[in-house]
C-alpha cells in the first residue's frame, strides 16, 4: 500500500519534472547562449566558456535596442491605458444593461476571430492616408484592435459577479449609479482590472505583425527589433539570445503581480 | 417611519415569466410584516420592487401615500439587509456604516455620533476598524444590520437576513430583531422561507405562492384558519395532516369518511358542511390535535399502526399509518412510547378539524352557510 502510493508520487513528480524541463530548458539554453561569445553560441554539443555580459552591452551600443525598448514601453503602456477604461465601461454596459444584447457581444468577439493579417492591411491603408505610419499613435491604435475586444470580454465576468449586489446595496444607501460604480464597483473589481490590464500590456508587448507593417526604424518595438538579428549573414545567435532575455524580462517582473491580483480578484471575501 | 402600500403590483420577466401577480398589501406604520413562501414564490422580487432594485411591470408602490415607482432607490429612503449581507469589502466596518450617511451629506460629527450609537447598540464597537472578511458570519450580519439602522430610514427591508446563520445564532438574532423592532417602532418588511421566523417575528404574515398572495393575517390566525391546503401544509413542522376524504351521512349527522373509518363531524359544523354531503374533500387536522388519551371526552378515536416514533425531548412525533397505508403525524406528550408496527388508538379533537375543497384546495367555511 505504502509502496504503491510512493510509486504514484514518484510518477507524478516525474511527469511534472518533464513538463518543467520542456518549459524551462529553452529558457536556460537562452541564458547560456546569451552569456557566451558569438562563435561558441553555434557549437554543438555545447561548449562551456566563462560567462560574459558583452552581448548585453553590444545590443545597446551597436544596435538601437534602447529605442526599441522605449517604443515597446510606450506602445504597451499607451494601448493599455486607453484600452482598460474603455473596456471597463463597455464590459460594465454589457454586464448591467445588456447593451446590444448577444449580437453586439458576438460582434465584439468576432473581431478577435479575424486573423490579424486581415486587419493589418486596411489599417496600413488608413494610416497611410492619415500620414500616421511610423508613429507611436498608429501602433497604439492598432494594438487597441486586439486588446479592447479581449478586455471587454474578460471584464464582463468581473462585473457580473457578486459586485452587482454590492452595487445594489450602495444604491439603496443613497448612491447614484455613477457613485456606486466609482466608490464600490471600481475598488472592488480593481484587482481584476489590474490583472486584465497586465494581460493587455503583455499582449501589446509581444505583438509582432502590426508593428512590422505599421512602424519604421524609429518606432519599432522589441519583437520586430529582435528580428533584426536575423541578418543576411545568418542569425546572430548570441546577440539575439541576449536581446530576447531583455525583451521578456518585464513580463517576468509583471507575472507574479498578475497572478496575485488575479487570484485576489477572483476571491473577494465580500459575500457570504 | 412609514406606511407601505402595494396596489395591483406585478412583475413579469421577459418573455413570459410571471414572478409577481396582482399583489395588494398595506403594511402599517411601525408594523413587523413578514412575506413568507417557498423559494420562487415572488416574495424577494416583491421586496426588491419596494426597494427599487427591480422595476414593477404593473401596479403602484406607495410610501406614505406617495407613489415611488419611478423613484431611484436612493430617493426612497428605505434600507435593505441582504441575505449575504453585501458589505463593502474594501471598507472597514466603520466606513461601511458611514457610507450611506456620507452619500446623504450628513455632517461629520453627526456621522461619528450615529455610527457610535449604532455600533454600541449592536455590540460591534470592537470591530469598527476591521474589514468584513475578518468577521464571522454573525458579526457580518450585525454590521449589515447596523448599516441599515444608522441611516434611520423610513422602513427596513430584510431579505432573508438570517438564513446564512447557524441554527443557534439564528434563534438569537430572531429575538434581537423582535426587540429591536419594539424599541425602534420601525416599519419592517421581512422576507423569509422559514415558517418559524414568520410565526415568531411577524405581527402579520403574508403567504405567497407562484407570485400570488394566498393569505394575509396575524400568525396565529393564519395558523388556525388556513385559507387553503397550501397554507395548511406550509406552516409548522410537522404541518397539518391533509388527507383525501369524503363527507357522508352518519348517525343522523355528518362524518368524514377516511377509508373505512368514520369521523363524526361536530354538530356545530353540520350546517356549514351539509352542502358538501357525498362530495370529495380534503380533511385536515394538526398533529397537536391528535392525542394518545381519550381525555375529558368529546374526542374521536382513530386506529392507526405505528410507523415511527420520533422523540424530540419536550414532545414525541408519532408517524402512523391509517388502515389504507396513508401516513399521518401526531404530536404527543414526551412520555409516549410504542413499538414500531403496533396498533394504537389516537383520539382526535375534531373541533379543530378543517375541510378543504378537493378541486380548488380552498378552505370550506366551518360556520355560516358554507
Amino acid at each position: 500500500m505504502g509502496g504503491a502510493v510512493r510509486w504514484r508520487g514518484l510518477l507524478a513528480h516525474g511527469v511534472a519534472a518533464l513538463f518543467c524541463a520542456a518549459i524551462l530548458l529553452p529558457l536556460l539554453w537562452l541564458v547560456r547562449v546569451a552569456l557566451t561569445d558569438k562563435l561558441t553560441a553555434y557549437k554543438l554539443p555545447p561548449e562551456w566558456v566563462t560567462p560574459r555580459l558583452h552581448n548585453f552591452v553590444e545590443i545597446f551600443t551597436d544596435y538601437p535596442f534602447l529605442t526599441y525598448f522605449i517604443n515597446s514601453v510606450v506602445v504597451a503602456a499607451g494601448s493599455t491605458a486607453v484600452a482598460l477604461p474603455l473596456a471597463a465601461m463597455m464590459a460594465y454596459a454589457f454586464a448591467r444593461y445588456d447593451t446590444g444584447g448577444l449580437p453586439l457581444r458576438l460582434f465584439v468577439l468576432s473581431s478577435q476571430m479575424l486573423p490579424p493579417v486581415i486587419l493589418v492591411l486596411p489599417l496600413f491603408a488608413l494610416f497611410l492616408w492619415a500620414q500616421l505610419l511610423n508613429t507611436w499613435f498608429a501602433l497604439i491604435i492598432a494594438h487597441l484592435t486586439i486588446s479592447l475586444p479581449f478586455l471587454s470580454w474578460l471584464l464582463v465576468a468581473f462585473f457580473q459577479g457578486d459586485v452587482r449586489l454590492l452595487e445594489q446595496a450602495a444604491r439603496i444607501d443613497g448612491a447614484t449609479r455613477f457613485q456606486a460604480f466609482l466608490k464600490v464597483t471600481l475598488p472592488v473589481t480593481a484587482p481584476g482590472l489590474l490583472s486584465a490590464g497586465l494581460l493587455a500590456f503583455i499582449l501589446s508587448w509581444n505583438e509582432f505583425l502590426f508593428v512590422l507593417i505599421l512602424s519604421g526604424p524609429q518606432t519599432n518595438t522589441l519583437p520586430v527589433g529582435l528580428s533584426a538579428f536575423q541578418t543576411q549573414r545568418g542569425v546572430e545567435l548570441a546577440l539575439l539570445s541576449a536581446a530576447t532575455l531583455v525583451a521578456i524580462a518585464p513580463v517576468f517582473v509583471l507575472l507574479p503581480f498578475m497572478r496575485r491580483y488575479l487570484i485576489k480578484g477572483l476571491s473577494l471575501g465580500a459575500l457570504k | 417611519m412609514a406606511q407601505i402600500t402595494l396596489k395591483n403590483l406585478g412583475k413579469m420577466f421577459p418573455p413570459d415569466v410571471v414572478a409577481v401577480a396582482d399583489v395588494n398589501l398595506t403594511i402599517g406604520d411601525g408594523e413587523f410584516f413578514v412575506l413568507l413562501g417557498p423559494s420562487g414564490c415572488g416574495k424577494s422580487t416583491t421586496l426588491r420592487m419596494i426597494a427599487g432594485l427591480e422595476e414593477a411591470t404593473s401596479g403602484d408602490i406607495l410610501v406614505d401615500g406617495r407613489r415611488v415607482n419611478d423613484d431611484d432607490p436612493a430617493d426612497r429612503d428605505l434600507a435593505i439587509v441582504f441575505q449575504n449581507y453585501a458589505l463593502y469589502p474594501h471598507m472597514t466596518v466603520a466606513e461601511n456604516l458611514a457610507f450611506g450617511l456620507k452619500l446623504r451629506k450628513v455632517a461629520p460629527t453627526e456621522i461619528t455620533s450615529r455610527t457610535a450609537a449604532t455600533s454600541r447598540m449592536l455590540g460591534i464597537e470592537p470591530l469598527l476598524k476591521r474589514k468584513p472578511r475578518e468577521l464571522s458570519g454573525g458579526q457580518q450580519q450585525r454590521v449589515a444590520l447596523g448599516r441599515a439602522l444608522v441611516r434611520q430610514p423610513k422602513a427596513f427591508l430584510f431579505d432573508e437576513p438570517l438564513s446564512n446563520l447557524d441554527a443557534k445564532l439564528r434563534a438569537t438574532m430572531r429575538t434581537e430583531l423582535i426587540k429591536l423592532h419594539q424599541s425602534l417602532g420601525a416599519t419592517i418588511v421581512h422576507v423569509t422561507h422559514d415558517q418559524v421566523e414568520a410565526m415568531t417575528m411577524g405581527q402579520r404574515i403574508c403567504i405567497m405562492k407562484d407570485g400570488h398572495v394566498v393569505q394575509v393575517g396575524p400568525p396565529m390566525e393564519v395558523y388556525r384558519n388556513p385559507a387553503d391546503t397550501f397554507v395548511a401544509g406550509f406552516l409548522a413542522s410537522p404541518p397539518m395532516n391533509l388527507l383525501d376524504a369524503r363527507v357522508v351521512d352518519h348517525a343522523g349527522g355528518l362524518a368524514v369518511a377516511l377509508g373505512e373509518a368514520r369521523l363524526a363531524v361536530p354538530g356545530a359544523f353540520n350546517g356549514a358542511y351539509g352542502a358538501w354531503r357525498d362530495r370529495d374533500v380534503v380533511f385536515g387536522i394538526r398533529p397537536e390535535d391528535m392525542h394518545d388519551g381519550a381525555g375529558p371526552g368529546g374526542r374521536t378515536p382513530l386506529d392507526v399502526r405505528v410507523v415511527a416514533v420520533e422523540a424530540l425531548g419536550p414532545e414525541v412525533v408519532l408517524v402512523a399509518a391509517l388502515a389504507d397505508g396513508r401516513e399521518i403525524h401526531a404530536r404527543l406528550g414526551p412520555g409516549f412510547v410504542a413499538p414500531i408496527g403496533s396498533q394504537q388508538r389516537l383520539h382526535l379533537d375534531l373541533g379543530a378539524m378543517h375541510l378543504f375543497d378537493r378541486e380548488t384546495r380552498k378552505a370550506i367555511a366551518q360556520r355560516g352557510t358554507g
Side-chain angles (χ1 to χ4, degrees):
Chain A
M1 170 79 186
V5 169
R6 188 182 309 156
W7 275 111
R8 219 177 296 159
L10 276 177
L11 188 71
H13 276 91
V15 173
L18 271 178
F19 271 107
C20 286
I23 295 164
L24 282 178
L25 272 181
L27 279 175
L28 292 175
W29 193 265
L30 213 58
V31 174
R32 187 194 73 85
V33 175
L35 295 173
T36 59
D37 58 71
K38 284 177 195 164
L39 280 177
T40 327
Y42 286 99
K43 285 199 175 143
L44 272 175
E47 222 171 74
W48 300 98
V49 291
T50 324
R52 287 165 57 193
L53 291 171
H54 63 100
N55 290 326
F56 291 93
V57 178
E58 195 176 329
I59 56 170
F60 282 105
T61 51
D62 297 3
Y63 294 85
F65 210 68
L66 187 66
T67 315
Y68 298 157
F69 200 89
I70 292 170
N71 288 340
S72 267
V73 171
V74 169
V75 171
S79 67
T80 306
V82 177
L84 198 56
L86 285 179
M89 286 190 262
M90 186 139 87
Y92 187 79
F94 280 153
R96 279 300 168 281
Y97 303 97
D98 199 24
T99 305
L102 193 61
L104 187 62
R105 287 196 203 194
L106 287 178
F107 180 73
V108 169
L109 186 69
S110 69
S111 66
Q112 283 279 282
M113 289 173 167
L114 292 177
V117 75
I118 289 182
L119 279 178
V120 78
L121 294 176
L123 278 177
F124 181 82
L126 280 173
F127 290 139
L128 184 68
W129 171 79
Q131 299 191 326
L132 284 171
L133 282 177
N134 199 5
T135 62
W136 284 339
F137 185 76
L139 292 182
I140 289 173
I141 299 281
H143 283 177
L144 281 179
T145 64
I146 304 172
S147 54
L148 202 51
F150 171 73
L151 283 187
S152 307
W153 265 75
L154 191 74
L155 291 176
V156 167
F158 282 104
F159 292 133
Q160 269 173 340
D162 290 340
V163 71
R164 193 186 193 110
L165 202 62
L166 297 176
E167 225 172 83
Q168 291 178 349
R171 302 257 288 134
I172 299 269
D173 259 348
T176 61
R177 263 194 194 278
F178 188 66
Q179 278 175 320
F181 178 74
L182 210 64
K183 296 190 173 177
V184 173
T185 312
L186 273 188
V188 169
T189 51
L193 291 174
L194 209 59
S195 54
L198 288 174
L199 271 179
F201 185 90
I202 290 170
L203 271 181
S204 169
W205 186 267
N206 289 334
E207 205 283 326
F208 177 77
L209 183 70
F210 284 7
V211 181
L212 182 73
I213 308 282
L214 301 175
S215 75
Q218 298 89 37
T219 51
N220 272 342
T221 61
L222 285 170
V224 174
L226 290 180
S227 68
F229 293 106
Q230 220 166 353
T231 63
Q232 285 176 338
R233 288 174 290 138
V235 183
E236 294 276 13
L237 211 49
L239 291 176
L240 181 61
S241 297
T244 306
L245 283 180
V246 174
I248 61 176
V251 177
F252 264 81
V253 173
L254 291 178
L255 261 178
F257 290 102
M258 194 177 89
R259 224 180 51 167
R260 206 176 80 203
Y261 284 121
L262 201 61
I263 290 168
K264 206 175 152 198
L266 294 175
S267 59
L268 281 162
L271 302 174
K272 195 170 157 68
Chain B
M1 286 303 133
Q3 184 190 58
I4 298 170
T5 310
L6 309 179
K7 278 189 191 161
N8 310 105
L9 191 65
K11 175 74 189 177
M12 214 161 129
F13 288 109
D16 56 356
V17 181
V18 179
V20 176
D22 202 25
V23 167
N24 287 288
L25 287 172
T26 300
I27 298 150
D29 188 1
E31 185 176 15
F32 200 129
F33 191 85
V34 177
L35 288 173
L36 175 69
S39 47
C41 73
K43 56 191 191 303
S44 274
T45 309
T46 305
L47 192 81
R48 292 169 58 81
M49 281 194 282
I50 299 175
L53 296 175
E54 213 78 69
E55 214 171 301
T57 27
S58 59
D60 300 313
I61 303 160
L62 295 102
V63 177
D64 276 341
R66 195 175 66 83
R67 189 175 182 274
V68 296
N69 285 47
D70 305 319
D71 283 8
D72 211 56
D75 300 330
R76 300 190 188 194
D77 197 18
L78 307 170
I80 189 162
V81 178
F82 292 95
Q83 180 175 1
N84 39 22
Y85 319 141
L87 298 175
Y88 312 122
H90 56 299
M91 299 183 197
T92 63
V93 169
E95 287 165 344
N96 264 281
L97 293 180
F99 184 68
L101 297 176
K102 275 187 195 154
L103 285 171
R104 282 161 205 277
K105 306 260 189 296
V106 175
T109 48
E110 169 90 10
I111 292 179
T112 317
S113 68
R114 265 156 79 170
T115 307
T118 305
S119 52
R120 201 174 322 122
M121 181 164 68
L122 293 170
I124 52 175
E125 278 169 307
L127 313 174
L128 284 176
K129 291 208 172 90
R130 293 207 209 157
K131 292 273 178 75
R133 65 171 168 275
E134 300 164 68
L135 306 179
S136 71
Q139 290 169 332
Q140 290 187 9
Q141 216 276 339
R142 275 166 195 279
V143 176
L145 197 60
R147 188 173 64 182
L149 289 175
V150 78
R151 269 187 34 219
Q152 305 173 350
K154 284 188 182 156
F156 294 95
L157 310 174
F158 292 165
D159 191 3
E160 308 211 25
L162 305 184
S163 55
N164 276 344
L165 302 177
D166 61 55
K168 201 177 158 197
L169 199 54
R170 200 181 312 159
T172 317
M173 282 310 291
R174 227 162 41 209
T175 320
E176 286 199 25
L177 285 181
I178 296 169
K179 279 193 214 154
L180 200 69
H181 172 248
Q182 280 166 355
S183 65
L184 294 176
T187 310
I188 294 176
V189 186
H190 181 103
V191 161
T192 183
H193 64 266
D194 182 341
Q195 42 92 13
V196 179
E197 251 173 57
M199 293 292 292
T200 51
M201 297 169 83
Q203 290 173 322
R204 278 195 305 154
I205 61 180
C206 164
I207 296 179
M208 292 185 71
K209 185 196 174 197
D210 301 334
H212 291 269
V213 170
V214 184
Q215 192 172 5
V216 186
M220 279 319 285
E221 178 167 332
V222 175
Y223 183 78
R224 287 204 194 99
N225 302 305
D228 64 9
T229 53
F230 172 76
V231 177
F234 192 73
L235 286 182
S237 172
M240 185 183 284
N241 294 293
L242 295 169
L243 299 158
D244 284 352
R246 218 176 148 77
V247 178
V248 294
D249 277 318
H250 176 74
L254 293 174
V256 173
L258 212 55
E260 294 300 307
R262 294 288 178 275
L263 306 174
V265 172
F269 301 158
N270 273 349
Y273 289 161
W276 290 83
R277 188 178 285 110
D278 294 324
R279 285 166 71 178
D280 288 334
V281 292
V282 177
F283 168 73
I285 187 154
R286 295 244 174 234
E288 62 269 30
D289 295 322
M290 297 194 270
H291 310 272
D292 53 342
R299 289 177 181 168
T300 309
L302 176 67
D303 290 322
V304 295
R305 182 170 47 81
V306 176
V307 175
V309 179
E310 299 166 356
L312 302 176
E315 61 182 22
V316 168
V317 173
L318 168 70
V319 186
L322 302 180
D324 55 15
R326 285 184 288 174
E327 284 189 359
I328 56 168
H329 289 77
R331 192 175 254 170
L332 306 173
F336 179 83
V337 277
I340 308 292
S342 66
Q343 288 295 320
Q344 286 287 326
R345 173 161 289 184
L346 288 176
H347 300 270
L348 277 51
D349 189 355
L350 288 183
M353 67 175 271
H354 299 267
L355 287 186
F356 302 91
D357 185 330
R358 181 95 63 94
E359 273 176 32
T360 64
R361 315 297 288 182
K362 295 244 183 284
I364 298 166
Q366 287 174 328
R367 292 174 201 281
T369 54

